[in-house]
């Protein structure tokens, strides 16, 4: 039975069979079933404001051109030219009038349509249907509040439905802060780890004190902000999730009170509460969401960080992942606020980041270790908090669990991954996938 | 380069030699892991910067690097550099425990300008790093350094690093350039 | 059915399934069914004039020693020594009295026979049949007008029959010019492309203006010579072909006329016609062949270029091809003529060549692009001129089509490749292979 | 039938199918069936004298920590941490109080037991059985005269039984010389060869004069010692063997006589006979063993060299082997004796060794050559001395053959390898494996 | 090397410095893609040559390189070098669009001979080239340059390049050495 | 380094130049396979040593190298170095037949001490070796050389080589550093 096909994760015990990280066949299947089906983040509207502006990205191992056409529409096109499959664009970004292939000179419009072929009539005498031989567009493109996503699967549900309230909330954390403007410059580097381990880690508030012990001792970030006792988890359909710091309504009101009485800043999250007190924001985030300061992951691989950054984890084979750090500023925010964030953006994450430089070897060794003849048979334990928490459904419909450091997010990530891998189509996935537990068993 | 051209070739040779002595000493401090000593040859107002490089078409090649004040891999003042050094002392700096083994090949040293106490120097470099069972990383590029004479000795007042790579091929850059 | 086993190329539409470029299993099969069966070019007689002279080459991934023995015979021997399979020769070329293995010192004569073993009688006491343990010779070696070929398959037809009139004509283009003497020095470099894409490209007169636009703008080669409107295609059994510039009998006679009246040189091909006016040459090339100035490919991978060069495309895995550029001079040609060609040989092709340096990335990206999950499912369009041309059988028996830029050659290359791959033996191939279309549909 | 599963070696002809060297599936099977079952040498007691001393080694592709605990017991632990499989030790050697994981800070005692988890009670609220989640110990650890071995297979026979008299004799060659003290510093380098070829070579006294011809001509070692006519072979159950110089009882007594009369040293082996004349030594080595000065191999991959060294050949994929050269001194030997050996240790073997530097390319080319389409089908001849020798059973029970240079040892190595590969378990192997021939056919 | 030995060590030092200034400036022109400026430091009669190298036995090692006038990877006069530069301007020079990122590490500079206005200089080099998503090529070898003084400034009159590689491991050599 | 500091900068510059001339000449002798000439620039009592390096924790980093007198990759006196050279002549030195192609990039040359006729010199190096069809090896590290003036010319009296690698990634080290 296909539903038994992949059985690497046991939701009842939180035990993982680590072969999921190193098997080449599994990886090939992931490219089809995960990246080939999901809505993948490709860029933010503000990165390509003008007609002809383009930004290159990857959907699994397919390279795509994300380009704004003359009508202002964003198109996502496969970077592959019909005659021999040559790439028609080799820059990472730029502005162009059309895409001219360096092999035979076929020329494509900003929407991918074939607008020129050298000697079309003289050489292609039996004619060729130009409409049929443009650059292949992805199945669907849509954006949520400026964040552009694309999917290769025509059967994928609409983006809004795909994101669900958790995915949307993850983006709202950013979008409700004001007009988001992505900065020029994406930090890219490669880590010899499986992409799922990189994603797993964004939910991992247990590793911070140890993996990033040096940064904490230096006070790069405040102790409390880096490993707070109060945690909150929200899980969404199809694998989205938010995990990390989160506080009770009571604490939230205390914070508001501090801020009103000019004592804001006493606790690290006051800085965020201030913003959420701006008109309409708390309402948009909702009574549960507003109290979370955690890490959203838009399944499969978009991490929304607290530093006005998002990080894509692009698979490059079972043993390698490319990290892309995007940063943004708030157009209308006071300059010092943006400078405060840019400071973090240039010093915490990325290959030279005071935090992230210490992650790489742990991830690569966790992946590499999975190749040993004995090692690959040893179970991995992700049982932290398993069955220990109840999720409270808020009247608003938002469901969150207020708890301590845990591995709910990671388990949800792997469980969802397994459901995607065990479904042969979107239809099957829609019917088979688990709903986020109202109560985590 | 007026500053340089006013010098006689002998003067340039001598200056080049002094610059070389400084840069080789400074590189050796890093390679031999004497990081505190390294901090001591920096000026208080040092700017240590490595922009992000991107592949562009020939036509738009002026967009190759991110701009000062924008996103970067390094954009440090002395405090940040101190943090990078201090973290090695406080423990749990896993990227450097076990310590990396590094070697800096500094070549093509050229004095490009002189202004008062400051000498602008360009050089090419290959920073080689190996860890554990000889896993290897190489970072290759150009540096624009500014050396300033402080009571008769050079100190490093500015270091702008221009890597040739766009995607960083290593799992971190826990070394100093 | 084996004939359906491989179905990557559709002759009716000219559509290719690009997985043929990246699949490792396909590649392994090619090594057996294509390179393991074909007559492979190994070197020219003039490269190893003296007894003991040797030149190393590859047949697929088997390294062979091409060596002239004391009787003046050229032997082609597998570079693999019986006790442990060590290589007995590690130089690229040289002169030797015998091949002495560096492992245990077995020594082999220039014809591969085992002539020495340290302590043969003392140690090999039960004896060993020296005749049985020499270096493995290939199945057959033969040459056509000095061009030496070898095949690993004893069932391969004789070289002459294998080449057929098209393969022979390709070599005659060179051989009829005078005594060919290969020059010392082969330019070798690696391109991250599939070998078939490199072969495809030699027929490709469509890419020249675009891929090599810079060279043309500089006038490295004359516009007319690089992308002439008048083209001629000749296709031969088993996959050989000639494609490129070719002119009508009328133009040919105009050229002869110009030359007679001392106005030769007006048009680029006058330079070649001059040579073909030498006694006997036109007759040897035939009424059709003499009017072609195109690119022959001796299937699978020997390109005969117009610059007094031949280029081997040696497979190094699905994703890599090694290009070997051989150059020759005409022993009796005026020095300036040879200098003219050497100039091209050192400046047009090879990794630093003003033309070829621009090919590599197109080929490697066309190959690499075939790995994307979506990209690999997209068809490639090789339909240029499909069904638009008629082939005229000349009374002489030569069949050529006079036309414009087209993809007849490439389609023939892929169609033949598929027939080789779908045949389990030479016998099957001989019965199954298509005859070159008298009329291309 | 599983017993037919692998048929790469024919004991009747000494012919090998070289695909055993390059097939990835074979290699993966070797990791399980050979390295996953055998007793593997991990280090010598003297390398980790103090509690907390550790030395890292590999069993196939599993990295293990060899560490002495507070009770003085040596533990061999898998270097893989339960939560994500991260490595808990990244140094090659050292001394520690515990193993602290850099990912989440789990801390393990010197016997592998989990002694600390950050926030165990607060975060792991449903509790976790610490006893179940320590570092995985190997199945068995034991030592023979200070040489520590470990096996991953609980069904493996006791070390003594596994070694048998030949394996034990190989170690006795070292152990009977006095108290062995391993030196600080292991020479490690990688050769692009299959590990079996490296092992095969240690029995190979045929290659010496040729592969190491330069060293011999320089007199780095005496001609006689490097390729003596008198050879002796002893073969042990499960694939152990000793091959190389060995002399008759008569010669042995002549040597003793020379030494007694102060004329020792005339012949190279007098140096060893001297030691064997020390009280009790000859008795321990036995009447046959004492007359051997050959190369023992403890199956699968531990070579005991004559230079007070042992060499591990660690597999790194079918095409790569890592050589680890360990050296020791005799605690009570005169300093000049130890210096004499250290001189050899630093100049004969290892990547810069005057002998070994010439081996690498022969081994890598013998492996690489096995990839050619034709080459891989060519048989390798290991028939030297096949059926030419009789083994004489000594009253003592020791069985040795006195002969000349031969390939008995290599054939035994490959035959045993095949028996291991054709057995699904230790039980099957114990019942199926051949006994060393009382008479080699 | 008589030419050199006639000089005092001080004179050699000064000459070495001048040579170094020239070679580093020249390398920087190429690395920073100032190709026209680079052409301007060549003499009219420059010979720019890279022979083909082959693996031979120790016994026949004199056959290692192809001979002058024979087959070569580069055998250029000024016109050919101009073409290599001009092609970048005229467009459709795909090997260099997007432009490669190169870095020349010039080391072991030694003055080997002096004849009138000409100085023969040997050096070792590593030419690093990366393109697109950090695809990497390295070409390593030795150069034999001849510098000629033309109105007081050095110009490059001869460059013979001896790569260590036999098979070129890259898909092209669109860079200048 | 008192020895050095007593010198004026001009004196240091001159000395550095002499050292450089020697080291580049010596490297070229090896790269151009003039091994006998190379032996002739060594002193009778030369010590040529390369210890073994190991990965250790930051805490135990002093255990990184094996000690003098212990296990090593090279621990040669002149006789052993002669053997390494002579073997190439006598034949059957397969690691070098076909001969390797090597290139030594010597950088960061710094005079660290002066004692009488002896000059202690530190430098960084990349030794590149390619064989057959461009198989490649690179050894990178630091050298501590001692040069001794013998009748007015430098000779190499000591060479201690500190590679950055722990596991040697090549199938042999048949080259000299
Ligand atoms: S592949 Fe793009 S035009 Fe031919
Ligand atoms: S492998 Fe050639 S002689 Fe042994
Ligand atoms: S993996 Fe070791 S503590 Fe988490
Ligand atoms: Fe982290
Ligand atoms: Fe082309
Ligand atoms: Fe050997």
């Amino acid at each position: 039975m296909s539903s038994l096909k992949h059985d690497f994760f046991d939701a009842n015990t939180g035990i993982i069979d680590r072969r999921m990280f190193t098997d080449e066949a599994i990886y090939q299947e992931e490219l089809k079933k995960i990246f080939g089906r999901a809505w993948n983040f490709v860029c933010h509207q503000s990165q390509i404001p003008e007609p002809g502006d383009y930004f290159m990205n990857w959907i699994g191992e397919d390279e795509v051109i994300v380009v704004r056409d003359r009508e202002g529409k964003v198109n996502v096109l496969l970077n592959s030219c019909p005659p021999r499959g040559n790439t028609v664009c080799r820059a990472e970004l730029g502005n162009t009038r059309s895409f001219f292939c360096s092999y035979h000179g076929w020329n494509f419009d900003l929407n991918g349509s074939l607008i020129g072929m050298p000697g079309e009539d003289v050489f292609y005498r039996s004619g060729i249907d130009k409409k049929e031989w443009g650059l292949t567009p992805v199945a669907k493109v849509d954006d949520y509040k400026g964040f552009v996503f694309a999917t290769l699967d025509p059967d994928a549900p609409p983006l809004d439905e795909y994101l669900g309230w958790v995915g949307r909330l993850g983006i709202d954390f950013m979008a409700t802060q004001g007009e988001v403007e992505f900065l020029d410059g994406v930090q890219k580097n490669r880590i010899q780890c499986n992409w799922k381990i990189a994603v797993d880690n964004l939910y991992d508030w247990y590793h911070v004190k140890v993996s990033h012990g040096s940064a904490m001792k230096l006070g790069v970030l405040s102790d409390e902000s880096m490993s707070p006792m109060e945690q909150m988890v929200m899980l969404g359909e199809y694998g989205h999730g938010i995990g990390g710091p989160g506080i009770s309504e009571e604490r939230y009101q205390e914070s508001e009170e501090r801020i009103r009485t000019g004592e804001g800043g006493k606790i690290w999250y006051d800085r965020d509460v201030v913003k959420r007190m701006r008109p309409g924001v708390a309402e948009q985030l909702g009574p549960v969401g507003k109290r979370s300061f955690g890490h959203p992951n838009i399944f499969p691989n978009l991490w929304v960080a607290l530093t006005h950054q998002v990080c894509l984890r692009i698979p490059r084979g079972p043993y390698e992942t490319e990290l892309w750090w995007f940063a943004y500023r708030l157009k209308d925010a006071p300059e010092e606020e943006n400078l405060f964030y840019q400071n973090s953006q240039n010093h915490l994450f990325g290959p030279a980041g005071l935090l992230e430089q210490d992650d790489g070897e742990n991830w690569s060794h966790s992946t590499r270790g999975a190749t040993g003849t004995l090692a690959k048979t040893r179970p991995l334990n992700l049982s932290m908090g398993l069955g220990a928490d109840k999720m409270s459904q808020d009247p608003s419909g938002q469901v969150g669990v207020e708890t301590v450091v845990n591995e709910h997010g990671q388990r949800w990530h792997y469980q969802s991954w397994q459901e995607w891998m065990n479904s042969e189509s979107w239809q099957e996935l829609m019917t088979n996938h688990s709903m986020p537990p109202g109560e985590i068993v | 380069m007026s500053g340089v051209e006013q010098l006689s070739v002998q003067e340039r040779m001598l200056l080049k030699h002094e610059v070389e002595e400084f840069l080789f000493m400074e590189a050796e401090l890093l390679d031999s892991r004497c990081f505190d000593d390294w901090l001591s040859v920096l000026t208080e107002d040092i700017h240590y910067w490595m922009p992000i490089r991107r592949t562009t078409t020939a036509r738009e090649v002026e967009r190759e690097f991110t701009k000062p004040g924008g996103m970067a891999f390094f954009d440090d003042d002395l405090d940040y550099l101190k943090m990078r050094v201090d973290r090695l002392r406080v423990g749990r700096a896993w990227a450097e425990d076990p310590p990396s083994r590094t070697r800096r090949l500094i070549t093509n040293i050229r004095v490009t300008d002189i202004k008062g106490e400051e000498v602008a120097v360009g050089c090419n470099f290959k920073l080689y790093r190996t860890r554990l069972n000889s896993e290897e990383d190489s970072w290759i590029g150009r540096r624009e350094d500014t050396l300033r004479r402080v009571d008769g000795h050079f100190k490093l007042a500015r270091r702008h690093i221009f890597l040739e790579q766009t995607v960083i091929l290593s799992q971190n850059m826990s070394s100093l350039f």
Side-chain angles (χ1 to χ4, degrees), chain A, chain B:
Chain A
M1 257 177 61
S2 99
S3 71
L4 294 181
K5 184 165 175 222
H6 294 296
D7 192 13
F8 292 97
F9 173 70
D10 178 347
N12 302 321
T13 59
I15 299 293
I16 272 189
D17 176 338
R18 63 199 303 200
R19 271 168 288 218
M20 70 159 68
F21 299 126
T22 55
D23 186 294
E24 175 67 30
I26 292 287
Y27 175 71
Q28 289 302 327
E29 211 174 321
E30 285 176 331
L31 291 176
K32 282 209 196 68
K33 294 181 167 178
I34 309 274
F35 297 93
R37 269 185 211 154
W39 280 93
N40 299 273
F41 174 74
V42 289
C43 79
H44 187 270
Q45 293 280 8
S46 62
Q47 291 179 266
I48 49 173
E50 301 304 324
D53 283 347
Y54 63 89
F55 177 78
M56 305 301 291
N57 206 329
W58 295 82
I59 294 181
E61 293 198 352
D62 284 299
E63 191 177 33
V64 291
I65 306 169
V66 188
V67 57
R68 186 175 303 278
D69 63 25
R70 284 176 196 70
E71 294 64 48
K73 188 160 136 296
V74 172
N75 302 301
V76 180
L77 310 166
L78 188 66
N79 189 17
S80 182
C81 186
R84 293 299 181 279
N86 190 32
T87 48
V88 298
C89 182
R90 293 178 187 161
E92 288 176 67
L93 48 77
N95 179 284
T96 187
R97 275 186 283 93
S98 67
F99 296 99
F100 179 84
C101 180
S102 56
Y103 202 156
H104 306 97
W106 284 25
N107 196 18
F108 304 89
D109 202 355
L110 299 178
N111 55 25
S113 44
L114 177 55
I115 53 175
M117 304 161 67
E120 174 179 1
D121 313 323
V122 238
F123 302 151
Y124 283 88
R125 290 155 292 154
S126 357
I128 185 166
D129 180 350
K130 297 245 280 299
K131 280 179 301 322
E132 290 216 337
W133 294 101
L135 295 176
T136 308
V138 299
K140 303 181 186 183
V141 182
D142 198 357
D143 86 326
Y144 178 76
K145 302 190 175 175
F147 291 77
V148 183
F149 291 79
T151 177
L152 303 179
D153 190 336
D155 300 335
L159 177 58
D160 257 49
E161 183 184 325
Y162 174 80
L163 292 173
W165 73 274
V166 172
R168 289 193 302 269
L169 177 60
I171 295 175
D172 288 338
F173 280 169
M174 304 183 280
T176 56
Q177 295 181 334
E179 188 178 341
V180 165
E181 188 172 63
F182 270 47
L183 297 171
D184 181 40
V186 176
Q187 298 171 322
K188 303 179 178 181
N189 80 299
R190 294 191 187 151
I191 297 187
Q192 283 61 54
C193 72
N194 184 274
W195 69 275
K196 295 186 291 299
I197 285 186
V199 173
D200 165 339
N201 182 265
L202 74 90
Y203 289 115
D204 189 331
W205 287 80
Y206 187 48
H207 86 293
V208 179
K209 269 191 156 144
V210 174
S211 288
H212 306 297
S214 66
M216 287 183 70
K217 291 189 196 160
L218 296 180
V220 172
L221 282 183
S222 70
D223 234 46
E224 323 78 59
S225 73
M226 281 183 80
S227 60
M229 281 309 298
E230 294 153 287
Q231 298 267 324
M232 180 187 286
V233 178
M234 288 169 278
L235 305 177
E237 259 182 297
Y238 302 127
H240 312 297
I242 301 177
I247 57 180
S248 64
E249 181 60 31
E250 185 185 1
R251 291 243 175 297
Y252 188 82
Q253 285 172 17
E254 289 165 9
S255 174
E256 288 185 317
E257 184 55 25
R258 276 197 300 280
I259 291 157
R260 275 196 221 81
T261 58
E263 290 172 21
K266 259 232 195 86
I267 302 186
W268 66 274
Y269 51 72
D270 291 357
R271 188 177 59 231
D272 298 283
V273 174
V274 172
K275 299 190 207 149
R276 297 179 181 188
M277 287 168 69
R278 292 175 187 156
V281 175
E283 293 60 25
Q284 285 182 67
L285 300 182
V288 180
K290 76 174 186 192
R291 296 187 276 109
S292 161
F293 313 103
H295 287 168
N297 183 53
I298 312 296
F299 193 85
N301 63 341
L302 181 71
W303 170 19
V304 178
L306 300 165
T307 48
H308 287 192
Q309 291 181 280
V310 297
C311 183
L312 260 184
R313 281 77 190 284
I314 302 170
R316 290 268 183 258
Y319 294 96
E320 191 163 64
T321 302
E322 197 164 295
L323 267 55
W324 285 21
W325 277 102
F326 300 75
Y328 63 87
R329 59 196 296 284
L330 297 176
K331 212 161 174 186
D332 314 316
E335 195 49 22
E336 58 274 15
E337 181 179 323
N338 282 323
L339 280 178
F340 168 86
Y341 282 106
Q342 184 173 21
N343 221 329
S344 311
Q345 291 157 356
N346 280 342
H347 292 103
L348 299 186
F349 298 118
L354 283 160
L355 288 182
E356 200 170 74
Q357 61 179 275
D358 291 318
D359 282 316
E361 209 153 80
N362 287 335
W363 302 355
S364 55
H365 279 225
S366 295
T367 303
R368 187 204 76 176
T371 60
T373 308
L374 173 59
K376 79 171 68 149
T377 67
R378 305 297 304 148
L380 297 187
N381 184 311
L382 281 77
S383 68
M384 196 190 298
L386 181 67
D389 292 310
K390 300 232 171 309
M391 292 201 127
S392 51
Q393 171 117 31
D394 179 89
S396 71
Q398 292 187 317
V399 182
V401 54
E402 291 164 47
T403 176
V404 294
V405 170
N406 62 78
E407 291 179 324
H408 297 319
Q410 294 96 310
R411 284 190 296 271
W412 182 242
H413 165 61
Y414 289 112
Q415 180 179 344
S416 304
W417 172 85
Q418 187 150 293
E419 289 172 356
W420 282 65
M421 293 290 280
N422 282 327
S423 306
E424 293 312 311
S425 67
W426 251 113
Q427 192 172 11
E428 202 177 313
L429 177 59
M430 289 192 210
T431 45
N432 292 349
H433 75 281
S434 321
M435 293 306 290
E439 175 181 276
I440 296 178
V441 187
Chain B
M1 300 194 197
S2 56
V4 183
E5 276 145 10
Q6 282 155 18
L7 301 184
S8 70
V9 61
Q10 283 83 356
E11 291 170 316
R12 293 204 305 273
M13 175 169 65
L14 187 61
L15 179 56
K16 156 72 160 42
H17 176 74
E18 293 180 283
V19 165
E20 208 175 64
E21 279 189 343
F22 176 82
L23 292 181
F24 292 166
M25 173 274 290
E26 179 247 329
E28 183 55 21
L29 290 178
L30 292 172
D31 286 332
S32 54
R33 305 174 186 141
C34 303
F35 299 106
D36 292 319
D37 298 341
W38 182 75
L39 287 174
S40 72
V41 300
L42 311 180
T43 64
E44 292 296 321
D45 62 342
I46 185 168
H47 183 224
Y48 186 97
W49 180 63
M50 182 195 290
I52 300 171
R53 194 166 195 170
R54 293 83 52 87
T55 300
T56 69
T57 59
R59 185 172 50 77
E60 298 189 283
V61 73
E62 81 289 341
R63 297 176 65 173
E64 199 170 18
F65 288 102
T66 51
K67 303 272 168 293
M71 292 303 297
F73 283 116
F74 289 89
D75 192 1
D76 290 8
D77 56 15
L78 188 57
D79 292 338
Y80 272 111
L81 290 170
K82 279 209 176 99
M83 276 194 210
R84 296 185 187 276
V85 169
D86 292 343
R87 64 189 294 277
L88 303 177
R89 193 183 8 261
V90 298
R92 299 196 178 181
W94 305 111
E96 288 302 321
D97 191 359
S100 292
R101 300 171 293 270
T102 62
R103 189 56 41 192
R104 287 155 178 81
L105 305 180
I106 307 296
T107 72
N108 301 49
I109 296 173
R110 46 207 181 277
V111 174
T112 57
D113 198 5
I114 304 174
K115 282 217 195 67
E117 293 305 300
E118 294 198 338
V119 183
V121 179
C123 70
N124 297 353
F125 67 85
K126 172 187 171 112
L127 168 47
Y128 174 78
R129 186 261 300 262
T130 173
R131 291 183 51 69
L132 310 186
N133 298 324
S134 299
E135 284 96 334
E136 299 183 305
D137 294 294
S138 285
W139 298 290
I140 294 178
R142 182 177 110 256
R143 277 186 347 210
E144 286 180 8
D145 295 340
T146 298
L147 311 190
R148 185 186 304 151
R149 278 186 213 274
V150 182
D151 5 296
H153 292 83
F154 277 138
K155 287 197 160 200
L156 185 64
R158 200 189 70 159
R159 172 156 292 171
H160 288 185
I161 305 140
F162 303 91
L163 273 193
E164 307 306 329
Q165 288 105 326
T166 50
V167 178
I168 303 301
L169 302 176
S170 28
Q171 66 187 4
N172 64 41
M173 285 197 291
S174 53
S175 300
L176 287 157
F177 286 79

